[in-house]
Amino acid sequence: MIDFERVSKRFGSWTAVDTVSFTVAEGEFRVLIGPSGSGKSTVLRMINRLIPADEGAIRIDGEDIASLRPEELRRRMGYVIQSVGLFPHWTVERNIATVPALLGWPKARIRDRVTELLELLNLDPRRYRTAYPHQLSGGQQQRVGVARALAAEPRILLMDEPFSALDPITRASLQSELSAIHRRTGTTVVFVTHDMDEALRLGDSIAVMDHGRLIQCATPLEILTRPASPLVRDLVGREEWGLKRLAVETAGDRARPQERVGGEPLPSETPLHRALSEMVSRGAERLPVVDGDGQPAGVLHLSDLVRPAPDRAA
Amino acid sequence: MTFRLPLYNRVALLMAMAAAIAAVVLPFLGFAPNRLLSGRPVPLWAAVQGPGGLAILPGLVLLATPFLRPTRIGLGLTVAAGGLFAAGLVWLAGHHATELAQGASAAARTSFASGFWVMAAAGLLTAVDAARWMGLGAVGRLAVGGAVAGLVALQLATGHLDALSILKEYANRRDVFADAVLRHAMLVAAALVPTLLVGIPLGVAAHRFQAVGRAVFPVLNVVQTVPSIALFGLLMAPLAALGALLPGSGISGVGPLPAVIALTLYSLLPIVRNTAVGLDGVPAPVREAARGMGLTPRQIFLRVDLPLALPVFLSGLRITVVQAVGLAAVAALIGAGGLGAIMFQGLFANALDLVLLGAVPVILLAVAGDALLSIGIAAATSHIGLSPGRNAP
């Protein structure tokens, strides 16, 4: 758990972060979003004390981080940045092993962990273990960057616009891999971005910042349906609002569980904008939905996509 | 139908033409009754008569190299032809000098003349250019250079060249020559120690604090512009005064101490500058990531900054070594000894071969230092894949 209590940071006369308080729960995927200079990166970098707070307290699992050695604190968290920052003179293996080596893990354990992580990030260990960073594409470098951050099994992962420099296809695949890793490991993630689509797609909750202040902290659905200010509404954008709205719910959320219909079924975790697209391309107004085990989970109706959000989500 | 020769290697063509013209027009050797009189020229055609002339057969191959396809084999042949031609010219010079010595007085001198130098240089330059074109690494180039040097060393060792004037000069100074080489190397080494001890911390400071760089670099730049003789001269007076103040300290205005001080002053700029530039070139995200992962400042310096700045630092060291080897020769003027002493003796006695006896080892020392550090740079850069100074990936 990460707890900010009335935290401020000033650089000279400029207030980068202004009395910000929030809590990130254990295992939560929290996205920080806002325009440039809104203070989102500063907040992130205060969590691992790359930037010291001027006022207020930052606690991790109830422990004030100011009482810890910064290096010790940082070794307990993963840290991924937009420009990756792999060590160019070290192999992929040694890069990934950085923190485990600092923590003094036995060699065999480090080796096994590197293999596991390379496989997790879809990099063939035989091919990439001994490669040097300059031999990798930008996407592969960031995969190694994520693997390096996860190496010592941190309970908190800090990511500062990690996918912003990548092409859309690579970005999308890294986003879904990150989602899967998050679901599997239960790591708490704090993720900075300026891209609302990315925030809506990845976040359990989204904190919107502007001029160093926290404007709104809510679920993706609430951000879409109840923006706290014109700025939040602008960040979401009016363009294709309906599709964004659909994207934050899944076929399972809206299916009528008792009904059955024939045809190629949709997995229940399919986002609703994909489901709509399926309906359009198949020319069908009803599609069967199956759960994770392939068992029938009901039927999704076209008319259900346009009805207002169910009460439980509101 | 006309047949046109395809030209692949313009450098080789230029060199082959220079060598061919030198072979015809310029004297290959000079032969004098004694070392004070100017000699009569010996053209190449006079020297190649007889079976000894076969030694410069690689020269004929050299004439063909401009038209060889630049494949590995073609370029390899060019390298071999250039190197063997130079070594062959030395052999021929030794061979012909021995012939000339028969029936001449013991005071007679046979020296290399302009034709020899032009042809040898043309051969070596062709070889160097082709080796680079081949993509030969630092180790490969050192191997080629070592092979040519080895062929000449073999001739020296077997006494084949003893009739040449430069070796007669050597024979006269056999006892001081080894001392001079050693003394020369010691001067350079003695200057490197304080240079590195002061220069590296100064470079680190200039990287960390802009103010240090602004204060240090103008001073070092000015030092570089002072002519070496002037700097030696400037140091003489204060050091002589200091020596007079501290009798028995061994400090004096002449000798090795002012030489080492002056060499250190000259050597500082490349070391300080390249240390600072090398550290400046470490990409900021790499340092940021290192901090974010919990490396201590000391670990960041030793594991990230140092290895990434090393190639640029080594190029600075290379400049320093080559420069110091050359400047140390001038230090002979203030009594520091070394190979410069032999050179100046030759200059004052108007004995060109004595000048050569001092100059050739200076060149060889500089080339050897340069080659060794090139290998170090190649080793330090090989897997970084990051040209020094390049920023974010």
Side-chain angles (χ1 to χ4, degrees), chain A residues 45 48-50 69 71 74-75 77 79 81 83-90 95 98-99 102 132 134 141 148, chain B residues 283 285-297 299 303-304 307-308 382-386 390 392-393:
Chain A
R45 288 153 59 88
N48 62 3
R49 278 184 66 186
L50 283 174
R69 267 185 66 222
E71 285 83 16
R74 290 169 196 156
R75 288 171 197 179
M77 302 178 183
Y79 184 52
I81 53 178
S83 37
V84 194
L86 295 180
F87 301 126
H89 55 309
W90 288 358
N95 264 288
T98 306
V99 180
L102 287 173
Y132 283 94
H134 73 275
Q141 288 188 11
R148 181 172 70 169
Chain B
V286 173
R287 273 204 198 101
E288 156 101 8
R291 268 186 83 206
M293 276 186 298
L295 274 78
T296 61
Q299 285 168 334
R303 300 186 192 183
V304 179
L308 289 179
S382 59
H383 53 253
I384 290 183
L386 188 89
R390 196 178 110 180

XYZ file of all heavy atoms in Angstrom, chain A residues 45 48-50 69 71 74-75 77 79 81 83-90 95 98-99 102 132 134 141 148, chain B residues 283 285-297 299 303-304 307-308 382-386 390 392-393:
448
model
N 8.247 9.885 -8.994
C 9.646 9.853 -8.580
C 9.821 10.151 -7.097
O 10.913 9.939 -6.557
C 10.460 10.827 -9.440
C 10.634 10.318 -10.879
C 10.829 11.449 -11.868
N 11.996 12.244 -11.530
C 13.216 11.981 -11.942
N 13.436 10.941 -12.700
N 14.216 12.742 -11.588
N 9.945 6.570 -5.020
C 11.223 5.902 -4.748
C 12.330 6.905 -4.358
O 13.507 6.606 -4.443
C 11.660 5.024 -5.931
C 11.898 5.806 -7.197
O 11.791 7.034 -7.213
N 12.223 5.119 -8.273
N 11.907 8.080 -3.959
C 12.804 9.097 -3.405
C 13.869 9.571 -4.391
O 14.930 10.039 -3.988
C 13.471 8.616 -2.113
C 12.562 8.797 -0.914
C 13.222 8.430 0.386
N 14.328 9.301 0.753
C 15.120 9.098 1.802
N 14.925 8.053 2.580
N 16.098 9.924 2.077
N 13.599 9.415 -5.709
C 14.490 10.073 -6.661
C 14.330 11.573 -6.482
O 15.243 12.350 -6.760
C 14.157 9.665 -8.097
C 14.642 8.278 -8.495
C 14.150 7.914 -9.877
C 16.154 8.176 -8.428
N 16.915 3.933 3.918
C 17.984 4.332 3.001
C 17.395 4.350 1.590
O 16.717 3.394 1.201
C 19.124 3.307 3.031
C 20.250 3.637 4.012
C 21.359 2.610 3.850
N 21.998 2.692 2.538
C 22.345 1.641 1.795
N 22.110 0.430 2.228
N 22.931 1.810 0.638
N 18.604 3.797 -1.330
C 18.977 2.657 -2.182
C 18.193 1.406 -1.787
O 17.743 0.648 -2.641
C 20.484 2.369 -2.093
C 21.353 3.364 -2.843
C 21.625 4.624 -2.047
O 21.403 4.602 -0.820
O 22.047 5.642 -2.650
N 14.678 1.720 -3.081
C 14.571 1.568 -4.545
C 14.728 0.121 -4.969
O 14.140 -0.311 -5.954
C 15.627 2.437 -5.237
C 15.320 3.911 -5.115
C 16.480 4.762 -5.567
N 16.303 6.130 -5.086
C 17.295 6.981 -4.911
N 18.537 6.629 -5.171
N 17.059 8.192 -4.472
N 15.568 -0.637 -4.244
C 15.759 -2.039 -4.622
C 14.503 -2.861 -4.367
O 14.379 -3.969 -4.878
C 16.945 -2.630 -3.849
C 18.269 -2.084 -4.348
C 19.437 -2.458 -3.488
N 20.576 -1.586 -3.806
C 21.754 -1.652 -3.204
N 21.962 -2.538 -2.252
N 22.715 -0.829 -3.554
N 11.557 -1.784 -5.260
C 10.562 -1.391 -6.268
C 11.151 -1.545 -7.664
O 12.331 -1.359 -7.868
C 10.215 0.089 -6.107
C 9.702 0.441 -4.759
S 9.399 2.208 -4.719
C 8.884 2.370 -3.030
N 11.416 -0.045 -11.492
C 11.350 1.303 -12.040
C 11.593 1.235 -13.535
O 12.627 0.738 -13.975
C 12.402 2.178 -11.348
C 12.388 3.639 -11.740
C 11.219 4.383 -11.694
C 13.553 4.267 -12.143
C 11.215 5.718 -12.050
C 13.562 5.609 -12.485
C 12.394 6.331 -12.434
O 12.390 7.663 -12.771
N 11.430 3.547 -17.208
C 11.290 4.896 -17.754
C 11.128 4.838 -19.263
O 11.451 3.838 -19.893
C 12.498 5.794 -17.389
C 13.811 5.123 -17.797
C 12.484 6.114 -15.908
C 15.032 5.982 -17.503
N 12.740 6.278 -21.697
C 13.946 6.080 -22.505
C 14.704 4.826 -22.098
O 15.858 4.656 -22.480
C 14.827 7.309 -22.424
O 14.776 7.857 -21.141
N 14.068 3.928 -21.360
C 14.554 2.601 -20.993
C 15.810 2.651 -20.120
O 15.809 2.177 -19.003
C 14.821 1.702 -22.224
C 14.993 0.260 -21.777
C 13.679 1.815 -23.228
N 16.911 3.216 -20.677
C 18.130 3.324 -19.880
C 18.773 1.992 -19.562
O 19.286 1.787 -18.469
N 18.780 1.058 -20.540
C 19.544 -0.177 -20.322
C 21.027 0.162 -20.280
O 21.468 1.121 -20.910
C 19.276 -1.170 -21.446
C 17.855 -1.713 -21.550
C 17.758 -2.690 -22.710
C 17.439 -2.389 -20.258
N 21.803 -0.631 -19.540
C 23.250 -0.402 -19.496
C 23.859 -0.931 -20.794
O 23.846 -2.139 -21.028
C 23.859 -1.099 -18.281
C 23.254 -0.620 -16.992
C 22.723 -1.502 -16.085
C 23.195 0.733 -16.708
C 22.147 -1.052 -14.906
C 22.616 1.191 -15.533
C 22.097 0.293 -14.626
N 24.387 -0.050 -21.644
C 24.786 -0.491 -22.988
C 25.974 -1.452 -22.977
O 26.179 -2.170 -23.939
C 25.145 0.814 -23.707
C 25.366 1.819 -22.640
C 24.567 1.384 -21.446
N 26.753 -1.451 -21.880
C 27.944 -2.294 -21.855
C 27.685 -3.635 -21.181
O 28.617 -4.400 -20.987
C 29.092 -1.564 -21.174
C 28.754 -1.076 -19.783
N 27.632 -0.331 -19.528
C 29.381 -1.235 -18.606
C 27.584 -0.041 -18.230
N 28.636 -0.585 -17.655
N 26.441 -3.897 -20.830
C 26.101 -5.174 -20.203
C 25.170 -5.965 -21.093
O 24.365 -5.402 -21.833
C 25.404 -4.941 -18.855
C 26.302 -4.441 -17.769
C 27.650 -4.208 -17.855
C 25.930 -4.102 -16.427
N 28.120 -3.745 -16.650
C 27.092 -3.669 -15.769
C 24.720 -4.133 -15.734
C 27.085 -3.261 -14.437
C 24.701 -3.723 -14.414
C 25.879 -3.302 -13.770
N 21.851 -7.032 -17.403
C 20.935 -5.921 -17.168
C 19.769 -6.360 -16.284
O 19.445 -5.701 -15.299
C 20.395 -5.397 -18.502
C 21.173 -4.202 -19.019
O 21.062 -3.110 -18.471
N 21.981 -4.403 -20.042
N 20.450 -6.930 -12.566
C 21.032 -5.834 -11.782
C 20.614 -5.859 -10.311
O 21.472 -5.934 -9.421
C 20.632 -4.469 -12.387
O 21.000 -4.453 -13.762
C 21.335 -3.332 -11.668
N 19.318 -5.795 -10.063
C 18.877 -5.707 -8.664
C 19.097 -7.018 -7.906
O 19.633 -6.993 -6.796
C 17.421 -5.204 -8.573
C 16.979 -5.117 -7.119
C 17.299 -3.839 -9.235
N 22.560 -6.958 -6.834
C 22.774 -6.018 -5.733
C 22.289 -6.620 -4.413
O 22.866 -6.371 -3.352
C 22.010 -4.710 -5.987
C 22.556 -3.764 -7.047
C 21.591 -2.611 -7.276
C 23.915 -3.229 -6.642
N 23.489 -7.746 -26.583
C 23.697 -6.423 -25.997
C 22.546 -5.500 -26.412
O 21.959 -5.691 -27.478
C 25.045 -5.841 -26.453
C 26.198 -6.462 -25.700
C 26.877 -7.560 -26.209
C 26.578 -5.969 -24.460
C 27.905 -8.149 -25.505
C 27.599 -6.548 -23.744
C 28.272 -7.637 -24.269
O 29.275 -8.210 -23.557
N 22.183 -2.684 -27.827
C 22.124 -2.035 -29.141
C 21.716 -3.006 -30.237
O 21.417 -2.591 -31.352
C 23.468 -1.389 -29.482
C 24.549 -2.365 -29.826
N 25.328 -2.978 -28.877
C 24.970 -2.850 -31.013
C 26.183 -3.788 -29.467
N 25.992 -3.731 -30.761
N 13.954 -3.618 -26.350
C 14.677 -2.964 -25.260
C 13.735 -2.688 -24.095
O 14.085 -2.912 -22.934
C 15.300 -1.654 -25.745
C 16.479 -1.885 -26.673
C 17.217 -0.596 -26.997
O 16.980 0.439 -26.393
N 18.111 -0.664 -27.956
N 13.773 -6.208 -16.284
C 14.753 -5.757 -15.305
C 14.054 -5.191 -14.065
O 14.486 -5.420 -12.938
C 15.658 -4.693 -15.946
C 16.731 -4.165 -15.037
C 17.692 -3.272 -15.786
N 17.088 -2.005 -16.177
C 17.766 -0.966 -16.665
N 19.076 -1.073 -16.849
N 17.159 0.142 -16.993
N 24.830 8.403 -21.323
C 23.451 8.850 -21.517
C 22.733 9.071 -20.177
O 22.829 8.241 -19.270
C 22.800 7.698 -22.281
C 23.928 6.947 -22.881
C 25.087 7.106 -21.954
N 19.550 8.824 -19.361
C 18.608 7.792 -18.920
C 19.297 6.597 -18.263
O 18.724 5.956 -17.395
C 17.918 7.357 -20.221
C 18.152 8.444 -21.184
C 19.444 9.091 -20.804
N 20.525 6.304 -18.713
C 21.235 5.174 -18.114
C 21.538 5.471 -16.644
O 21.344 4.631 -15.760
C 22.537 4.885 -18.895
C 23.362 3.827 -18.194
C 22.203 4.434 -20.302
N 21.974 6.714 -16.377
C 22.234 7.084 -14.984
C 20.948 7.104 -14.173
O 20.904 6.656 -13.040
C 22.853 8.484 -14.936
C 24.334 8.455 -15.079
C 24.969 9.700 -14.452
N 26.310 9.813 -14.985
C 26.657 10.645 -15.947
N 25.763 11.468 -16.453
N 27.881 10.656 -16.401
N 19.882 7.628 -14.795
C 18.586 7.703 -14.121
C 18.111 6.300 -13.741
O 17.670 6.062 -12.616
C 17.575 8.387 -15.058
C 16.132 8.050 -14.792
C 15.390 9.130 -14.025
O 15.979 10.209 -13.845
O 14.243 8.888 -13.619
N 18.228 5.365 -14.696
C 17.797 3.995 -14.425
C 18.654 3.389 -13.310
O 18.147 2.708 -12.417
C 17.888 3.151 -15.695
N 19.946 3.666 -13.351
C 20.839 3.120 -12.329
C 20.443 3.618 -10.944
O 20.377 2.853 -9.983
C 22.282 3.504 -12.647
N 20.149 4.914 -10.855
C 19.708 5.464 -9.564
C 18.394 4.831 -9.142
O 18.212 4.432 -7.994
C 19.483 6.980 -9.690
C 20.670 7.830 -9.351
C 20.257 9.302 -9.385
N 19.637 9.707 -8.144
C 18.758 10.713 -8.044
N 18.390 11.386 -9.113
N 18.266 11.039 -6.882
N 17.467 4.744 -10.098
C 16.138 4.239 -9.788
C 16.148 2.792 -9.325
O 15.246 2.360 -8.622
N 17.180 2.041 -9.745
C 17.238 0.646 -9.326
C 17.967 0.465 -8.007
O 18.098 -0.655 -7.533
C 17.904 -0.175 -10.408
C 16.889 -0.570 -11.462
S 17.612 -1.664 -12.640
C 18.848 -0.609 -13.279
N 18.495 1.555 -7.480
C 19.091 1.453 -6.156
C 20.593 1.253 -6.151
O 21.143 0.736 -5.187
N 21.278 1.649 -7.241
C 22.737 1.666 -7.178
C 23.162 2.892 -6.369
O 22.577 3.966 -6.504
C 23.351 1.747 -8.587
C 23.560 0.413 -9.314
C 22.241 -0.091 -9.869
C 24.575 0.556 -10.441
N 24.184 2.725 -5.545
C 24.685 3.862 -4.780
C 25.497 4.757 -5.712
O 25.930 4.303 -6.777
C 25.596 3.393 -3.631
O 26.705 2.709 -4.209
C 24.860 2.448 -2.689
N 25.714 6.026 -5.356
C 26.492 6.916 -6.227
C 27.847 6.314 -6.588
O 28.317 6.437 -7.723
C 26.658 8.175 -5.374
C 25.471 8.184 -4.473
C 25.162 6.746 -4.180
N 28.567 3.076 -6.760
C 28.343 1.990 -7.721
C 28.044 2.545 -9.102
O 28.483 1.986 -10.110
C 27.176 1.106 -7.253
C 27.548 0.197 -6.088
C 26.336 -0.446 -5.444
O 25.228 0.085 -5.505
N 26.538 -1.584 -4.808
N 30.451 1.320 -11.975
C 29.898 0.303 -12.870
C 29.288 0.886 -14.126
O 29.086 0.170 -15.102
C 28.812 -0.498 -12.143
C 29.357 -1.185 -10.920
C 28.311 -2.078 -10.308
N 28.756 -2.511 -8.999
C 28.083 -3.342 -8.229
N 26.939 -3.815 -8.640
N 28.553 -3.694 -7.059
N 28.930 2.172 -14.095
C 28.265 2.767 -15.261
C 29.147 3.850 -15.888
O 29.553 3.736 -17.037
C 26.888 3.345 -14.863
C 26.227 3.988 -16.071
C 26.008 2.253 -14.287
N 33.111 2.550 -17.069
C 33.243 1.757 -18.299
C 32.719 2.465 -19.536
O 33.257 2.282 -20.622
C 32.427 0.486 -18.004
C 31.642 0.759 -16.788
C 32.343 1.836 -16.030
N 31.677 3.311 -19.388
C 31.122 3.963 -20.574
C 31.997 5.122 -21.029
O 32.013 5.470 -22.205
C 29.689 4.439 -20.303
C 28.666 3.311 -20.185
C 27.285 3.858 -19.894
C 28.640 2.482 -21.457
N 34.260 -2.564 -28.085
C 33.745 -3.642 -28.932
C 32.284 -3.956 -28.666
O 31.494 -4.045 -29.586
C 34.585 -4.894 -28.742
O 34.539 -5.283 -27.390
N 31.881 -4.131 -27.403
C 30.512 -4.583 -27.187
C 29.596 -3.472 -26.700
O 28.441 -3.714 -26.401
C 30.506 -5.757 -26.219
C 31.232 -5.467 -24.949
N 32.449 -6.015 -24.665
C 30.927 -4.654 -23.933
C 32.844 -5.558 -23.499
N 31.950 -4.729 -23.033
N 30.123 -2.258 -26.608
C 29.246 -1.201 -26.115
C 28.223 -0.831 -27.175
O 27.058 -0.633 -26.875
C 30.059 0.034 -25.682
C 30.820 -0.325 -24.410
C 29.145 1.213 -25.415
C 31.590 0.814 -23.832
N 28.674 -0.813 -28.438
C 27.742 -0.517 -29.515
C 27.181 0.882 -29.398
O 26.097 1.186 -29.855
N 27.933 1.718 -28.707
C 27.432 3.062 -28.441
C 28.590 3.964 -28.786
O 29.578 3.967 -28.095
C 27.097 3.171 -26.960
C 26.399 4.422 -26.495
C 24.916 4.229 -26.616
C 26.747 4.679 -25.056
N 27.133 9.606 -27.951
C 25.758 9.467 -28.394
C 24.843 9.502 -27.184
O 25.164 9.008 -26.132
C 25.571 8.136 -29.113
C 24.278 8.108 -29.924
C 24.139 6.807 -30.648
N 23.078 6.049 -30.045
C 22.718 4.852 -30.460
N 23.362 4.284 -31.435
N 21.754 4.210 -29.872
N 20.512 9.587 -25.726
C 19.424 8.637 -25.495
C 19.284 7.620 -26.614
O 19.521 7.939 -27.781
C 18.124 9.398 -25.350
N 18.938 6.383 -26.285
C 18.818 5.338 -27.302
C 17.652 5.600 -28.237
O 16.724 6.298 -27.869
C 18.523 4.082 -26.472
C 18.018 4.552 -25.171
C 18.628 5.902 -24.944
